[in-house]
Amino acid sequence: MNAMVETDVLIIGAGPAGAAAALLLSRYGVKTLLVNKYPGSSPGPRAHIVNQRTMEILRELGLEDTAKAIATPQPLLGDHVYATSLTGEELGRIKAWGSSPEALAAHAAASPCAMCDLPQLYFEPMVLQAASLAGAQIRFQTEYVSHRQESEAVVSVLKDRLTGAEFQVRSAYLLGADGARSQVAQDIGLAYEGELGLTAAGSLNVEFTADLSPWVAHRPGDMYWFVQPGLGIRGQGIGSLRMIRPWHKWVAVWGYDLAKGPPPMDEGEATRMVHRLLGDDSIPVTIDAWSNWTINRRYAHQLSHERVFCLGDAVHCHSPMAGLGLNTSVQDAYNLSWKLAWVLQGKAAPRLLASYDKERAPVAKQIVEYAYDCGRYIADMFRSLGLSANPSPEQMARSLAQLKEPTSAGAALRAAWREAVDSTLAGFGGAHGVEMNQRYVSNAVFAEDDDGEPKAPSEFHHEASTRPGAPLPHVWLTRHQHRVSTLDVCGKGRFTLLTGLSGQAWASVASAAADKLGIDLDVHVIGPGQSLEDSYGDFARMSGVAENGALLIRPDRFVAWRARNDNPEQRERLLSVLQSILS
């Protein structure tokens, strides 16, 4: 075995979680090695929705414009069409992914960033390239074998899959971002709730190239759903097309009986399946690839053991409904990376790292349960038509015909169908609260009695709050007449104190606390004549404190503490608050 390789953090897996952690840690000055057992990043589209919270992280990292340049923007995602086939009869639409006027307004109020569609095969290389440029060492064809924990390090055994040679890496911390069947998670004995491959139906993806613009450009959306007899997704007679690149790269999705295994597949069978969903076998189609997947519902109660931390699909596996997987994985990395950096740099004690489990395990549970529950809305559509799983062609034809009957029975069926179709929005952009309303309770948050008890926020609507443990709300400030988000002046690996014009006494207090603790702590006084001005008055309205009060913001832009005013007792608490958070 070759000589020992030394690094601060070793990351296993180059998916969204691992890639984001490598980039963040490298930006924070942490020596990082990322390894991936495959020859490259994801070759298939896989996850694709990038929500506002993740776009905010990309904005901080200087990647927002890069992402927008290669993504499909929000205005082209909104029409989810339900039909008998792409060229066939329409049965209804929903305004998905925040495309309704009301949702667009809510999105604009919640964040300086817009969501987009950026499939994983484009997302991963973008982040990995930035990580490499930031100094991360990245090795493909390198497989994790095992590890052992020592008192002050983790020693991992890795295998070079090109030569078969094994070598060791000594790191202060090990991150397992190695997917749903994580070997790292297994090695540290993580306990899970739920299971993989939960339903009786598997799903088959066929990636293909075809110019479908004559049937979609006038009703642009990222997915088109087709009610057809057959087993279908979740055994419910429905297939779908998912847009990868408008309007020529696609994935066709159909279902199969999991107990019988995937059906035999070749180019001819794949083409027939695609043409069935298109409803026209004369449309030229080129088959690019095919694969199968299952619905999962599993999350870990604990995400770490001593010096080993798991993130991404290693700790939350779920349905693709609501588009939460990639986003939650990146946000896991955003939560953990600054804490590792501060501990490694001696700015915080290792106890700070205990907050990762406390803060992210509840999020893992929430998104897994929410995504799985969204599947019932697809089933509700069939129940609304009086159809059971796997209906016969005759049964489906009768129900669809009844939708057009000018009778009281037809009216009742149409009303039930419309209600069921509308309910599917929960899985396609209706989870704005799940995306944006995380609330942390941990040793890295300092809440006081007058902050009140934390309340479970809405799953469906964004709710801004400055209660400690909530993400800092976005409002627009101005600097030299240009708009600047509150989010833009925080983060970047530093704590930040925000106060109003009459709170200038905080500057000297913060400077003294930072000097005593040896940390970075930025102070921004917001008001007339300052470099940041509250031109719209929105900061004063959202802050939840008096003008001379203050908000202490963590490096991941969550509210760590708030002081209602600047009386001497409040100012004196700043040092003890920081000491508590940093352990």
Side-chain angles (χ1 to χ4, degrees):
M1 191 172 290
N2 294 332
M4 186 84 70
V5 176
E6 302 275 351
T7 190
D8 291 334
V9 177
L10 172 63
I11 303 171
I12 311 300
L23 173 54
L24 287 158
L25 288 165
S26 298
R27 288 286 182 87
Y28 298 154
V30 174
K31 186 178 180 182
T32 303
L33 170 63
L34 180 149
V35 301
N36 193 56
K37 70 178 181 180
Y38 300 108
S41 55
S42 173
R46 302 182 68 183
H48 60 117
I49 294 297
V50 180
N51 66 31
Q52 287 181 293
R53 190 64 80 210
T54 300
M55 288 298 288
E56 290 168 0
I57 297 171
L58 296 181
R59 181 185 180 97
E60 178 181 323
L61 292 167
L63 292 178
E64 182 188 19
D65 288 342
T66 303
K68 287 163 65 175
I70 59 176
T72 302
Q74 187 174 16
L76 296 184
L77 308 181
D79 270 353
H80 269 226
V81 174
Y82 293 91
T84 58
S85 68
L86 186 65
T87 61
E89 184 177 8
E90 266 200 33
L91 304 173
R93 302 185 193 184
I94 58 172
K95 297 181 179 72
W97 303 121
S99 63
S100 72
E102 301 82 1
L104 283 171
H107 278 229
S111 175
C113 303
M115 61 158 294
C116 63
D117 187 299
L118 184 56
Q120 197 166 328
L121 80 164
Y122 307 117
F123 182 92
E124 287 179 3
M126 175 188 72
V127 179
L128 288 168
Q129 180 187 41
S132 179
L133 292 172
Q137 299 295 308
I138 300 173
R139 285 183 56 122
F140 291 98
Q141 296 279 51
T142 304
E143 185 172 2
Y144 165 81
V145 178
S146 64
H147 79 268
R148 70 176 187 272
Q149 296 206 52
E150 300 177 346
S151 60
E152 296 185 359
V154 183
V155 177
S156 301
V157 178
L158 305 181
K159 178 180 179 180
D160 185 324
R161 300 185 78 184
L162 292 176
T163 66
E166 292 188 351
F167 62 99
Q168 296 185 82
V169 175
R170 180 184 177 86
S171 60
Y173 295 97
L174 170 66
L175 306 190
D178 48 338
R181 288 170 168 60
S182 168
Q183 184 62 47
V184 177
Q186 181 177 321
D187 287 351
I188 62 173
L190 292 191
Y192 292 98
E193 183 83 17
E195 58 186 285
L196 306 178
L198 197 61
T199 64
S203 292
L204 181 69
N205 280 4
V206 175
E207 299 169 42
F208 69 98
T209 301
D211 180 11
L212 302 184
S213 54
W215 300 278
V216 300
H218 58 289
R219 49 178 183 173
D222 76 315
M223 295 197 76
Y224 299 79
W225 293 80
F226 309 121
V227 179
Q228 294 183 357
L231 187 61
I233 297 172
R234 295 173 68 97
Q236 292 158 344
I238 193 166
S240 68
L241 290 180
R242 180 188 135 197
M243 178 272 298
I244 305 304
R245 304 302 276 175
W247 302 110
H248 64 287
K249 287 289 187 182
W250 300 87
V251 174
V253 188
W254 198 245
Y256 63 90
D257 186 340
L258 199 59
K260 297 179 181 178
M265 186 61 56
D266 56 25
E267 190 169 323
E269 183 58 33
T271 302
R272 283 189 288 275
M273 189 188 98
V274 170
H275 277 147
R276 181 174 174 181
L277 296 180
L278 300 182
D280 184 346
D281 60 9
S282 68
I283 298 173
V285 167
T286 300
I287 302 301
D288 300 317
W290 56 82
S291 59
N292 53 281
W293 53 278
T294 58
I295 297 293
N296 301 314
R297 184 188 188 183
R298 194 185 73 170
Y299 56 88
H301 293 287
Q302 182 179 342
L303 314 184
S304 65
H305 177 65
E306 297 178 353
R307 291 179 170 271
V308 181
F309 297 80
C310 289
L311 58 164
D313 285 359
V315 290
H316 44 78
C317 303
H318 40 84
S319 161
M321 299 290 279
L324 297 168
L326 177 152
N327 296 287
T328 307
S329 299
V330 171
Q331 292 155 30
D332 289 344
Y334 192 53
N335 179 286
L336 178 61
S337 294
W338 76 267
K339 298 171 183 176
L340 286 170
W342 278 58
V343 170
L344 284 164
Q345 293 161 3
K347 300 174 184 177
R351 183 173 172 272
L352 172 64
L353 300 175
S355 64
Y356 173 65
D357 277 38
K358 294 289 187 182
E359 294 176 355
R360 296 306 295 177
V363 175
K365 177 180 179 180
Q366 180 192 26
I367 62 110
V368 168
E369 297 292 5
Y370 182 88
Y372 184 80
D373 288 347
C374 283
R376 77 174 189 269
Y377 298 118
I378 301 297
D380 286 348
M381 290 198 305
F382 288 85
R383 282 192 285 270
S384 75
L385 293 174
L387 296 172
S388 59
N390 197 20
S392 70
E394 294 76 21
Q395 290 172 322
M396 187 169 283
R398 284 194 299 270
S399 292
L400 295 180
Q402 193 176 9
L403 276 176
K404 296 182 286 185
E405 291 179 0
T407 63
S408 58
L413 192 66
R414 285 189 291 277
W417 169 256
R418 184 70 256 172
E419 181 179 359
V421 167
D422 288 344
S423 72
T424 64
L425 181 62
F428 306 111
H432 201 207
V434 175
E435 296 169 2
M436 303 292 285
N437 290 341
Q438 288 87 5
R439 298 291 189 266
Y440 293 161
V441 178
S442 77
N443 54 298
V445 171
F446 199 99
E448 305 201 64
D449 291 342
D450 61 356
D451 291 313
E453 289 297 317
K455 298 177 181 178
S458 168
E459 291 184 321
F460 305 111
H461 305 287
H462 173 241
E463 295 177 355
S465 172
T466 61
R467 188 190 188 280
L472 173 67
H474 150 71
V475 296
W476 289 114
L477 309 171
T478 54
R479 177 188 283 147
H480 306 307
Q481 302 179 355
H482 293 271
R483 294 201 309 178
V484 179
S485 171
T486 44
L487 306 185
D488 294 333
V489 301
C490 300
K492 302 179 180 65
R494 304 166 72 92
F495 273 81
T496 308
L497 195 79
L498 303 178
T499 187
L501 186 62
S502 54
Q504 297 184 56
W506 284 105
S508 59
V509 175
S511 177
D515 288 345
K516 185 173 182 63
L517 296 174
I519 65 171
D520 300 314
L521 175 55
D522 294 335
V523 179
H524 294 291
V525 178
I526 300 167
Q530 304 300 306
S531 61
L532 291 171
E533 300 195 49
D534 189 16
S535 298
Y536 300 99
D538 289 337
F539 177 76
R541 282 187 284 269
M542 78 81 173
S543 68
V545 300
E547 187 186 84
N548 62 349
L551 299 177
L552 179 64
I553 311 302
R554 300 187 336 183
D556 59 356
R557 298 187 298 206
F558 272 70
V559 180
W561 174 65
R562 63 182 175 185
R564 300 290 184 177
N565 53 55
D566 71 343
N567 67 46
E569 182 181 350
Q570 290 273 41
R571 294 199 304 269
E572 289 171 5
R573 287 181 68 77
L574 177 60
L575 177 60
S576 62
V577 166
L578 284 165
Q579 288 173 324
S580 174
I581 290 169
L582 301 177
S583 307

